[in-house]
Amino acid sequence: SWWETGVRVVSLSHYGVSTYAHGTGTKGGLTSLGRELLENMYSIGVVLDVSHLSEESFWEALDLFPGPVIASHNNCRALVPGDRQFSDEQIRALIKRDAVIGVALDAWMLYPGWIKGKTSNTVVSMEAVVDQMEHIHRLAGNSRNVAIGSDLDGGFGKEQCPHDLDTIADLQTIPRLLKKRGYTNGDVENIMWKNWLRLFQQAWS
């Protein structure tokens, strides 16, 4: 089974329509196989990742799946419009489920009006990443539901990252930026690593 091979988190779609669900850029819900997959995931303890789901698929998945939920790499539509981002209503629904939302560092998800291949990353800094974190924090009223999602998996290079992110080590600028905005050491630890650790420990203990 997937579990025996080490699978612990599953997302149902990416761009377009998958075997299981409608994804980014499409309209529609889960397929019958997607609904069946959610049942099987819950029965063995697999975590659901709702990133990239279409809005209809998102709500249907939350309704059908009672287990732990994450959004591994997603940002806020209130700051950067588009169906790839979550509305405040979606974010509040995830907070209600005690989900963790990982903020993505892809520049087009951080800057409204970004045009791939044309917009320069000089317009995006790590402050924009913290803006996304702060929006989720404000909706939650605490630092429990936001974390680093990154999305730095090789699908693009530095040209599509914040200009002050040179290597992965520069994620360590986030604590300083958070503290500058008044976040406590506990908040910073939650966002940097504790939220992910807590959710996964609870899911698989």
Side-chain angles (χ1 to χ4, degrees):
S1 72
W2 285 0
W3 181 270
E4 290 166 344
T5 62
V7 175
R8 296 294 182 271
V9 180
V10 169
S11 60
L12 303 181
S13 193
H14 194 228
Y15 288 92
V17 184
S18 75
T19 302
Y20 304 110
H22 284 72
T24 301
T26 68
K27 295 184 183 298
L30 305 177
T31 67
S32 58
L33 283 176
R35 297 183 193 98
E36 183 181 344
L37 177 60
L38 288 180
E39 290 181 15
N40 291 329
M41 286 168 56
Y42 177 63
S43 70
I44 61 175
V46 171
V47 173
L48 170 63
D49 181 2
V50 295
S51 288
H52 276 289
L53 287 179
S54 70
E55 197 143 345
E56 187 176 340
S57 290
F58 172 92
W59 291 114
E60 192 175 354
L62 279 194
D63 185 52
L64 292 175
F65 185 77
V69 177
I70 67 167
S72 60
H73 56 301
N74 238 95
N75 291 354
C76 309
R77 198 178 298 173
L79 301 182
V80 180
D83 72 343
R84 176 64 183 87
Q85 325 278 37
F86 284 145
S87 67
D88 284 359
E89 184 183 9
Q90 289 174 296
I91 294 169
R92 289 190 180 100
L94 290 172
I95 291 166
K96 191 173 181 180
R97 292 285 294 269
D98 203 24
V100 174
I101 302 167
V103 168
L105 276 71
D106 192 331
W108 77 269
M109 297 174 68
L110 297 168
Y111 183 80
W114 176 277
I115 300 174
K116 191 172 183 179
K118 291 187 177 181
T119 306
S120 166
N121 73 343
T122 56
V123 300
V124 184
S125 74
M126 291 296 288
E127 291 281 5
V129 176
V130 178
D131 288 342
Q132 297 284 337
M133 292 175 170
E134 189 157 49
H135 187 76
I136 297 167
H137 178 271
R138 286 174 177 168
L139 291 175
N142 58 64
S143 60
R144 184 179 174 89
N145 303 103
V146 60
I148 298 171
S150 86
D151 203 20
L152 304 178
D153 58 356
F156 51 88
K158 289 195 292 184
E159 79 288 344
Q160 205 168 307
C161 293
H163 68 81
D164 47 355
L165 184 79
D166 187 48
T167 74
I168 198 70
D170 293 320
L171 292 178
Q172 294 300 324
T173 63
I174 292 174
R176 174 178 57 80
L177 296 176
L178 288 168
K179 288 179 181 179
K180 190 172 72 172
R181 300 189 188 200
Y183 286 74
T184 66
N185 287 335
D187 291 329
V188 171
E189 288 183 347
N190 283 345
I191 292 168
M192 293 301 291
W193 61 276
K194 276 189 174 178
N195 287 337
W196 285 129
L197 182 63
R198 182 195 71 249
L199 185 143
F200 292 139
Q201 284 181 331
Q202 290 176 350
W204 302 322
S205 60

